[in-house]
Amino acid sequence: MASLRPLLPIAALLLLLLFLISFHSDPPPILSRTPSHPLDPLTFDEIAAIRSILVSYPPFAAPNQFPAIHSISLDEPPKLIVLRWRPGDPLPPRRATVTAYSPPGHTHLISIDLPSGRVLHHSNPSGFPFLTIDDMRRAIATALNDPSFLQSLNARGLSSSDVNCAPLSPGWFGSEEDHCRLVKVQCFAAAPNFYLRPIEGLTAIVDVDAALVIRISDSGPGIPISAGEDTDYRYSTQRNKPRSFSNPINPVSLEQVGGPSYFIENSHVIKWASWEFHLKPDARAGSVVSRARLRDPESGEWRSVMYQGFASELFVPYMDPSEGWYFKTYLDSGEYGFGVSSMPLVRLNDCPRNAHYMDAVFAATDGSPFVRPDLICIFERYDGDVAWRHAQPHIREARPKITLVVRTAASVGNYDYIVDWEFQTDGIIKVKVSLSGMLLVKGTTYQNLSQVPEGEDLHGTLITDNIIGVVHDHFLSFYMDMDIDGPDNSFAKFHMIKQETSPGESPRKSYMKVIGSIAKTEKDAQVKLSLYDPYEFHIINPSRTSGVGNPSGYKLVPSATAASLLDLDDPPQRRGAFTNNQIWVTPYNKSEQWAGGRFVYQGHGDDTLATWSDRDRGIENKDIVLWYTLGFHHIPCQEDYPIMPTVSSSFELKPVNFFRRNPILRAPPYTEVDLPVCSVMASL
Ligand SMILES: *[C@@H]1O[C@H](CO)[C@@H](O)[C@H](O)[C@H]1NC(C)=O
Ligand SMILES: *[C@@H]1O[C@H](CO)[C@@H](O)[C@H](O)[C@H]1NC(C)=O
C-alpha cells in the first residue's frame, strides 16, 4: 500500500525533485548510452523515443486521447535468441511493452518495435494496471474535496490540511469492484510518522477515473486519534534522547585494500568469483537477475544455472474482517509496482561503503523517462562466517566465506521489503527477504488490555495507547527459470519416509529411507511443505550426468516460512492463489511470469499461477520454471513500534551433484599479509 500527501511538504518536495530530475535536465551520460546486451533495460533515450512514437500513433494522436502511461519496459527477445547471442554480435531488435490506460475502463497493452518506430500489436485486455502517482494523487484529492468526507474529518477536529492520506487498493469482493476503477482513501493525522495516527474507520470509496466519491464509510467516530508521541524515527529528532545501548558500537566497515573483486561490464553484466550474471532494475519486479552462469573450477566450462529470477508477486492479507479493514489484502507488485515503489538506497546504511549502485530509468505517467538513482546496490560481504573448515591434531584448515549481494528495498506505503540475491563461491544462490517499516495500525478506544471485554477479538496486539497492530501475512512469490546446464530440466522429489526393519534384520526398529521420483506434470509439482512428511526438491538436467552417474542439479532449500490459512474460496485467497502451495513448477511460457496475473488490480484471480498449473502440462525434461513462495505470519508486538526492526527469512538454490567435488576446496586461506592492520589512534 502506498501513501501520498497531496499539496503538502514532504511528498510534494520529493515529487518535485523527481520531476526536476526527470524533465528539466539532460540525462546523466551513463543513461544516454546505447544498450549492449539483449536484456539491457530500456535506456533514457529509448523511452523518450517510445514516447514520441506513442504521441504520433493515430489512436492516441487526437487531442485528449493520449492515455496514462503505467509502464514502459523492454519486451525481452525470445529466450533462444538471447541464449545464442554472444558479446560483439549485433543486438536483436529492441522492442518495448507499454501498459497504458484510457479512462474509463480501457487498458492498453502495446508492443513497439524501436528500429522501425512501429506499433506491432495493440490489445485491450481486461483488468487494470498498477496505480500511477497521478491516480493516487487524484484519488486523494477527490476524497479531500468531498463535502461529507470533510465533514467527517471536521467532526474529529481536523481539516484537509491536517491529514496525510493513503490510496488503498480495494481488492475484489464482487459487484462494487466490477464497475469502475476504485481507490479506497483512508487518512492519518499529520505527523512525521503519520502511519501511526490513523483516523480509524473513515474510508472514501473513490471512482478514480470519474474523480467521484461513490460512498463514504465511517465506522470509527469516537475512536481517538493516537497522539503518536515520540514516533518520529529521524535521527535528527531522536539524537538527544537516551541512547539505545549503554555501550555504543563503534562504526564497522569492510575494507578491501585491493578494491572490489567484481567487474561490471557495460553497466549490467556482473562478474564475480566463478559467477557471471545480468542484472537490471524493473518497474514491477524491483530487480531481475538473468543468465546466471558459473565457471566450473575443474573443466573451465561455463555452466548455466538460472535463466532468470525475480520477485513476481506479493500477497499481504490483513486479518480483520471489519468494514474498514476487510479489503486490505494487497498484491503489492501488481497493484503498486515493486520497482517504482523503491526509493534510492540510503548510502552507508542500506548498503555498506564498498557498495556499487545501479540507477533505474522508468516512465512517468506522460511517458517521459525519469531516473530513479541508486535503486540497486551490489557489494561483497564478509560476515566473519566460515566457508569450510576442518581441524584435527596436526592439521587445522578454515576458509572465510565471502559472498556477493545484490540488494533492492521497496517501500510500498508503510512497509519496506529488502530483497537480496546473494551469490556464494560454493555455487549457492541465497534469496533473502527482510521486512521493516511501519505496521499498518488500527485505532481503538482501549488504552490497556484490562479494558478489553473478555472474548473480544482485537484482531491484533495492543501495542501502545489506542493503537492495535493488526495481524497479517506477507507472501512473496519468486519466479526462477532454472536452466541447469541448459533449458531442458526435470523436477525431482526425494521423499524421506520411516522404513521399519524386518523382524530379526537389525537391532534397529526403523531408519529413514529416501525415495526419488520425477514429477511428470504440473500437479505432481504442487508442493505443500510439511516437517513430518519431508522431501528434498531438485531441479535436475537428466541428460547431463556426473562421472559416477548422478544427474547434474540444484536443490531448492526452504527455511522458515508460512502458509496461508484463508479459505481457498475467500476472494482474497483466489487472487493470491499462487500461495496455495509453497512450490510449483510450470513449463516456461513468456506470458506466465506474474504469479497473480498480469493485471491484478481489482482482478478476480482467474489468471494466477494456480490457474496455469491446474492445466497440468508436462514438465519432464522440458524448459521449466520453479516458483517458491516465502511467507511470514506477523502477530505484531510492542517492539515493532514505531518502526520495525527487520525480520528476515530466506531460501537457497544449492548445487547437488552439479560439481564433481567441493568447488571451493582450492580457495586460499587468509594470512596476515592479505589483510590490513588498521590501528586505533593512541589517545585511549
Ligand atoms: C493496565 O492494566 C494492568 C492490569 O492488567 C495494570 O497493572 C496497569 O497498571 C494498567 N495500566 C494503566 C496505565 O492503567
Ligand atoms: C502460455 O500462457 C498463456 C497465458 O497463460 C496461455 O494462454 C497459453 O496457452 C500458454 N501456452 C502454453 C503452450 O501453455
Side-chain angles (χ1 to χ4, degrees), residues 447-451 465:
Q447 295 187 305
N448 192 307
L449 271 185
S450 61
Q451 299 164 338
D465 301 3

Side-chain angles (χ1 to χ4, degrees), residues 325-340:
W325 280 80
Y326 74 90
F327 62 90
K328 296 179 181 176
T329 54
Y330 305 106
L331 298 167
D332 279 325
S333 194
E335 292 178 337
Y336 296 102
F338 215 44
V340 288

Side-chain angles (χ1 to χ4, degrees), residues 36-347:
S36 51
H37 187 285
L39 298 175
D40 277 359
L42 295 172
T43 63
F44 196 97
D45 292 349
E46 286 177 318
I47 292 179
I50 289 159
R51 181 172 192 274
S52 311
I53 295 166
L54 289 171
V55 165
S56 54
Y57 176 51
F60 299 155
N64 299 321
Q65 291 303 302
F66 196 75
I69 304 299
H70 289 244
S71 71
I72 300 180
S73 57
L74 179 75
D75 178 7
E76 293 184 356
K79 187 168 164 180
L80 255 176
I81 292 182
V82 177
L83 291 175
R84 283 201 199 117
W85 182 86
R86 296 282 171 274
D89 292 353
L91 285 188
R94 299 279 287 171
R95 293 191 173 155
T97 301
V98 179
T99 33
Y101 181 77
S102 306
H106 299 287
T107 296
H108 306 277
L109 192 58
I110 301 160
S111 166
I112 291 180
D113 180 62
L114 271 156
S116 65
R118 278 178 40 230
V119 169
L120 298 177
H121 305 286
H122 179 177
S123 60
N124 293 107
S126 58
F128 303 129
F130 59 68
L131 293 178
T132 63
I133 294 277
D134 290 6
D135 291 330
M136 301 182 196
R137 226 193 267 134
R138 190 173 337 108
I140 291 167
T142 303
L144 292 181
N145 283 320
D146 182 80
S148 49
F149 193 74
L150 287 177
Q151 207 170 20
S152 299
L153 286 180
N154 291 340
R156 290 163 165 92
L158 297 164
S159 75
S160 63
S161 59
D162 301 326
V163 299
N164 293 68
C165 301
L168 308 180
S169 56
W172 174 79
F173 294 88
S175 59
E176 187 170 64
E177 296 82 17
D178 275 339
H179 294 305
C180 55
R181 211 156 57 107
L182 294 179
V183 170
K184 294 199 170 182
V185 176
Q186 292 188 341
C187 301
F188 302 82
N193 195 346
F194 58 88
Y195 284 114
L196 300 176
R197 303 192 65 203
I199 300 167
E200 192 51 48
L202 177 61
T203 312
I205 294 96
V206 176
D207 172 342
V208 213
D209 294 335
L212 261 181
V213 171
I214 293 180
R215 68 188 168 86
I216 285 174
S217 129
D218 191 356
S219 52
I223 298 180
I225 296 168
S226 164
E229 255 166 46
D230 197 18
T231 58
D232 184 349
Y233 49 89
R234 291 173 298 179
Y235 190 62
S236 53
T237 63
Q238 294 286 339
R239 63 188 312 157
N240 295 321
K241 309 227 166 94
R243 291 286 177 98
S244 286
F245 318 121
S246 46
N247 294 306
I249 296 176
N250 292 327
V252 177
S253 184
L254 175 73
E255 299 301 331
Q256 293 187 281
V257 267
S261 317
Y262 54 79
F263 302 90
I264 301 184
E265 242 175 48
N266 297 318
S267 308
H268 294 287
V269 175
I270 320 288
K271 298 182 173 185
W272 176 79
S274 307
W275 284 103
E276 178 182 309
F277 56 92
H278 183 274
L279 174 67
K280 65 176 166 184
D282 183 81
R284 181 157 176 174
S287 68
V288 177
V289 172
S290 304
R291 294 224 62 197
R293 308 188 295 156
L294 43 74
R295 195 167 194 142
D296 193 302
E298 310 266 336
S299 63
E301 176 196 4
W302 279 103
R303 301 178 62 187
S304 101
V305 173
M306 184 177 77
Y307 181 73
Q308 200 157 65
F310 55 85
S312 172
E313 188 54 275
L314 284 82
F315 178 41
V316 189
Y318 283 80
M319 303 299 172
D320 181 335
S322 66
E323 173 66 16
W325 280 80
Y326 74 90
F327 62 90
K328 296 179 181 176
T329 54
Y330 305 106
L331 298 167
D332 279 325
S333 194
E335 292 178 337
Y336 296 102
F338 215 44
V340 288
S341 301
S342 301
M343 297 293 129
L345 291 158
V346 183
R347 288 185 181 230

Side-chain angles (χ1 to χ4, degrees), residues 589 591-592 607 612 615 617:
N589 180 334
S591 309
E592 295 178 350
D607 180 31
W612 314 331
R615 293 188 192 131
R617 296 163 289 190

Side-chain angles (χ1 to χ4, degrees), residues 76 79 285 287-290 306-313 421 431 476-483 584 586-595 609 612 623-629 651 653:
E76 293 184 356
K79 187 168 164 180
S287 68
V288 177
V289 172
S290 304
M306 184 177 77
Y307 181 73
Q308 200 157 65
F310 55 85
S312 172
E313 188 54 275
W421 288 81
V431 179
L476 288 95
S477 176
F478 285 87
Y479 170 103
M480 289 162 290
D481 176 2
M482 303 302 289
D483 278 10
W584 314 70
T586 56
Y588 172 81
N589 180 334
K590 203 181 162 196
S591 309
E592 295 178 350
Q593 295 199 319
W594 307 111
L609 173 54
W612 314 331
D623 190 0
I624 51 177
V625 175
L626 171 69
W627 304 78
Y628 180 67
T629 297
F651 64 93
L653 299 167

